[in-house]
Amino acid sequence: MATQPIPPLSSHLPHLPGHALVLACGNTLRGDDGVGWRIGCAVEQRPPCDGLTVVLTQQLLPEHAEAISTADIVVFVDCSAVTAAGTVSTIDLRPAVSLPRILTHHLDPAALLRLALDLYSRTPARAVAVTVGGESFALTDQLSKAVRSAVPKALEAVRAALAAETLAPVTHASTHAS
Amino acid sequence: MAQTITIDPVTRLEGHGRITLKTNDQGEVSEAYFSVTQVRGFEKFCEGRPYYEMPALMARICGICPVSHLIASAKACEAIMSVEVPPTAAKLRRALNLAQTIQSHALSFFYLASPDLLLGMDADPAERNIFGVAKAHPELGRAGVGLRRFGQHMIELLGRKRIHPGWVVPGGVTQPLEQAKREEILALLPEAYANIKMALTAYKRIAGRFQDEIDSFANFPGPFMGMVSESGGLAFTDAGLRMIDAEGLVLVDNLEAAGFDDCIGEAVEPYSYMKFPYLKSLGYPRGAYRVGPLARLNIASHAGSPLADIEMNEFKKLANGPVLGSFHYHHARLIEILHGIEAIEQLFSDNSILDKHVRARAGVNRQEGAGIAEAPRGTLMHHYKVNDNGQITWANLVIATGQNNNAMNKGVLQTAQRFVKGDKLSAGMLNRVEAVIRTFDPCLSCSTHAYGEMPLAIELLAPDGTRLDLVQRP
């Protein structure tokens, strides 16, 4: 597991009106791929608000749709293999319209939101992904310097996402294409 | 014109593989091969490790059925230690194995097989997946998610981790069960019962639509092997093995782990890294047999729990003797889920489950040991040899999916001969060739111990071996 200390979030948020979910993904044995998991651990240890559930997972699974459907806000935290190393991005998400044909081991957040909507007729009012661009995915439990340096900014991005004004939940009647 | 069809990868499996079909000059499928193309390595790289590390090491073979590997490995180590596991530890391990069987069978039925069963073999491939099921049958999708959650949560409660729990060790388990966890597990049972009853009702309503598939999906006479309790009921963890033939006559009975490799041989074929186990007395390939839910229900006379006994009686009426059609693996899987829930309730309703004596301790007292458990996909055997220091000098694993290897190959040929005609390949034809393999719910990661991606294709070959067509998904 991580040997580098991860700083806590800067301040405690006021009580959120609904239930918040942080879904943190990654493999801590594959270098920067573990950054999402580590950020999730930091959020779990020092939650920025009440009513927050943190799920740590190596990959997104269909059963996560159930937890997503009960949340008012969900924040996916993961490493990005396509953005520049250390780049922190916050991306608004909507339920996917087109889905991958092979699903055995690959689910993305938008597809999972779609699954939550189809199975439980509800998704959170707000869904965002906070990603950190990765540099090295080699077999190591250490983050690269660029990614390690980006962790405080990513934690603030998670906090900002949780603090954002929430809207009405998305239901089947109000869903839109992404 | 003779040709070769390749399906690559075969979808909705645990892992990836390739199917090759050869047609003759009349356009009829004449040969079929299910190839698993990655090399196994776990037996080799564990050499030199202390025996007591083996359960944790071997569990890494699979993220779906690590509990079965933990238990088979721990039992092999206990044979080396010459110890008997405390009764409560045996019960707790049995419960853990049942929880894993429930979540694994739910994955197989709801996520991988139900798109074919609920939406149809010829449905648009873009819709024939878990998302299509969620849209068309959300109540069954929720039942599947609920059963997965039940099994995985129970594994996490007992073993602290959903995947690769470290709780099972040589000699028993590391910690006794706490009362609060027992109550939490018992409280989850009503929802689990409701979900599996809904699934069984739905399955029995639609199964009759698939008579063509029932007739041609690896439907042939041959032996079955599985664990059976002393009273003839379903068993998954602590009992001997029985093998029966296609008429139900007992070929082998009370087979213990120590005698496993005297009875079972392993053949190899040039087109796959997965081995082909067989009953030595019958030779290869005649002695090739099937394992897993269908085999277990064929071998056992009853389930050993009230609701599953009723379902099993109904199941046995599908044939006059062993049920030979592999399509019925799906039905058997659902009955095993029901039995698993009932058996967990039985185990956790008994106060002895809270006993604090859960681990026996010893060093090396034998230089060889073997252990068997029933994994979701069938019988799993771990066999080790150690030196005086307890370091592994040799290891062999006989995996459930490998024991169904011959049957899967025969099933692919039988299905292709029934559904693939001429040089026009429809998605429905190819899906049926894949679907016959899905009935076995193979785990290619287990059976080859592969690292990384394992692509699987269907290719069409001319009689001279020239590739004429290749179906390969991105």
Side-chain angles (χ1 to χ4, degrees):
Chain A
M1 282 296 293
T3 51
Q4 306 101 330
I6 290 182
L9 296 180
S10 57
S11 62
H12 196 82
L13 294 169
H15 184 72
L16 292 175
H19 171 58
L21 173 67
V22 170
L23 254 171
C25 300
N27 182 344
T28 56
L29 299 178
R30 295 302 294 264
D32 291 341
D33 190 44
V35 70
W37 184 290
R38 291 171 190 204
I39 290 168
C41 285
V43 173
E44 190 173 41
Q45 286 164 13
R46 300 282 294 272
C49 57
D50 299 325
L52 174 66
T53 300
V54 178
V55 174
L56 303 170
T57 183
Q58 290 193 324
Q59 63 188 51
L60 296 177
L61 299 166
E63 45 266 36
H64 290 139
E66 189 178 38
I68 288 171
S69 74
T70 64
D72 295 299
I73 178 168
V74 59
V75 181
F76 296 89
V77 188
D78 203 353
C79 184
S80 168
V82 294
T83 56
T87 304
V88 176
S89 308
T90 300
I91 305 154
D92 282 311
L93 299 168
R94 304 284 293 172
V97 173
S98 61
L99 298 164
R101 287 174 64 165
I102 298 178
L103 304 161
T104 308
H105 290 104
H106 305 284
L107 260 183
D108 61 38
L112 204 46
L113 289 168
R114 165 57 55 186
L115 195 58
L117 195 57
D118 287 342
L119 282 178
Y120 302 99
S121 301
R122 188 183 185 281
T123 59
R126 182 166 155 77
V128 299
V130 173
T131 66
V132 182
E135 183 175 68
S136 170
F137 301 95
L139 287 169
T140 172
D141 62 359
Q142 303 293 309
L143 299 177
S144 67
K145 187 178 176 185
V147 170
R148 194 166 61 241
S149 302
V151 167
K153 190 176 174 188
L155 279 165
E156 284 308 315
V158 171
R159 179 184 182 281
L162 291 170
E165 184 181 354
T166 55
L167 308 169
V170 178
T171 64
H172 254 305
S174 62
T175 183
H176 302 288
S178 57
Chain B
M1 185 185 72
Q3 53 180 341
T4 297
I5 307 166
T6 302
I7 298 178
D8 185 5
V10 173
T11 55
R12 284 183 275 135
L13 303 178
E14 294 305 329
H16 306 266
R18 184 177 67 210
I19 293 170
T20 304
L21 307 176
K22 290 185 179 181
T23 62
N24 58 24
D25 290 336
Q26 288 72 48
E28 299 158 339
V29 175
S30 54
E31 296 174 60
Y33 304 101
F34 175 51
S35 304
V36 180
T37 51
Q38 296 279 312
V39 71
R40 59 196 299 173
F42 271 69
E43 288 101 330
K44 202 64 188 170
F45 69 63
C46 69
E47 287 179 5
R49 304 307 308 172
Y51 74 91
Y52 50 78
E53 285 185 358
M54 289 298 277
L57 281 176
M58 294 296 110
R60 264 62 187 182
I61 289 169
C62 187
I64 302 294
C65 58
V67 170
S68 304
H69 284 286
L70 277 171
I71 293 173
S73 181
K75 288 162 83 79
C77 293
E78 286 147 12
I80 289 166
M81 297 156 70
S82 298
V83 296
E84 187 177 339
V85 172
T88 295
K91 289 177 188 172
L92 289 167
R93 298 200 318 195
R94 184 180 169 211
L96 191 72
N97 204 20
L98 290 166
Q100 176 199 246
T101 300
I102 290 167
Q103 66 87 15
S104 176
H105 281 359
L107 172 70
S108 169
F109 183 81
F110 292 97
Y111 294 6
L112 306 180
S114 78
D116 295 329
L117 303 175
L118 296 170
L119 307 175
M121 297 279 175
D122 297 300
D124 178 359
E127 294 288 325
R128 200 176 54 222
N129 52 44
I130 185 65
F131 293 98
V133 171
K135 196 183 278 184
H137 302 275
E139 71 291 351
L140 282 170
R142 290 194 295 270
V145 168
L147 286 166
R148 281 271 290 169
R149 171 170 38 75
F150 169 74
Q152 291 188 312
H153 187 58
M154 185 169 155
I155 293 169
E156 190 172 16
L157 278 174
L158 294 175
R160 296 191 176 185
K161 288 168 69 180
R162 278 190 305 122
I163 301 172
H164 302 142
W167 186 54
V168 175
V169 291
V173 296
T174 56
Q175 290 178 316
L177 178 66
E178 298 160 17
Q179 173 67 13
K181 290 182 179 178
R182 176 199 191 190
E183 290 172 2
E184 184 172 346
I185 289 166
L186 287 170
L188 296 172
L189 293 173
E191 184 194 349
Y193 275 121
N195 285 332
I196 189 58
K197 286 176 184 173
M198 181 200 298
L200 268 163
T201 301
Y203 176 83
K204 287 189 276 190
R205 193 171 61 236
I206 61 173
R209 299 176 197 164
F210 295 92
Q211 197 54 54
D212 261 4
E213 288 79 7
I214 289 169
D215 291 342
S216 59
F217 275 21
N219 189 342
F220 56 84
F224 295 94
M225 188 175 76
M227 198 174 271
V228 63
S229 72
E230 286 184 6
S231 68
L234 288 176
F236 292 81
T237 311
D238 299 297
L241 296 173
R242 177 180 294 169
M243 188 181 287
I244 61 170
D245 68 12
E247 281 75 47
L249 298 173
V250 175
L251 298 171
V252 178
D253 208 5
N254 301 315
L255 177 61
E256 300 289 339
F260 188 86
D261 68 344
D262 295 332
C263 190
I264 303 296
E266 294 180 278
V268 293
E269 296 283 4
Y271 56 84
S272 182
Y273 280 110
M274 191 155 62
K275 294 186 286 188
F276 291 77
Y278 62 98
L279 180 64
K280 284 182 177 175
S281 63
L282 292 180
Y284 177 77
R286 187 168 159 244
Y289 54 90
R290 279 177 274 183
V291 297
L294 179 69
R296 289 190 286 253
L297 263 64
N298 276 332
I299 289 161
S301 60
H302 61 284
S305 58
L307 297 175
D309 277 342
I310 295 168
E311 294 293 337
M312 204 158 145
N313 281 338
E314 193 178 327
F315 179 86
K316 285 184 175 292
K317 289 175 184 164
L318 291 170
N320 184 23
V323 176
L324 301 179
S326 295
F327 188 89
H328 297 297
Y329 267 98
H330 297 308
H331 191 177
R333 223 164 259 130
L334 294 178
I335 295 172
E336 286 196 338
I337 290 177
L338 177 60
H339 169 69
I341 296 166
E342 288 188 288
I344 287 167
E345 183 172 26
Q346 290 169 351
L347 287 164
F348 279 68
S349 298
D350 183 341
N351 285 335
S352 68
I353 200 74
L354 296 172
D355 194 281
K356 303 297 181 197
H357 299 286
V358 293
R359 187 171 184 180
R361 295 174 191 274
V364 175
N365 289 305
R366 281 198 196 113
Q367 291 195 323
E368 185 172 355
I372 293 175
E374 282 292 331
R377 292 155 188 82
T379 309
L380 167 66
M381 198 277 294
H382 282 227
H383 187 183
Y384 310 143
K385 293 178 183 174
V386 297
N387 62 20
D388 287 339
N389 299 321
Q391 293 169 294
I392 298 290
T393 58
W394 176 89
N396 188 40
L397 280 61
V398 184
I399 306 293
T401 293
Q403 292 169 85
N404 282 328
N405 199 359
N406 186 270
M408 287 190 286
N409 275 276
K410 287 175 80 168
V412 168
L413 178 60
Q414 188 180 33
T415 307
Q417 287 177 331
R418 168 67 184 83
F419 291 102
V420 177
K421 300 292 180 194
D423 54 4
K424 295 278 186 186
L425 299 174
S426 72
M429 286 178 189
L430 297 177
N431 185 44
R432 283 176 175 83
V433 175
E434 295 179 281
V436 67
I437 294 176
R438 280 186 215 118
T439 63
F440 292 92
D441 186 26
C443 182
L444 308 185
S445 307
C446 276
S447 57
T448 63
H449 314 170
Y451 173 80
E453 290 289 305
M454 294 181 291
L456 196 153
I458 290 187
E459 63 179 351
L460 192 59
L461 299 177
D464 65 358
T466 308
R467 178 191 285 173
L468 300 171
D469 195 9
L470 174 71
V471 181
Q472 200 161 12
R473 292 187 178 83

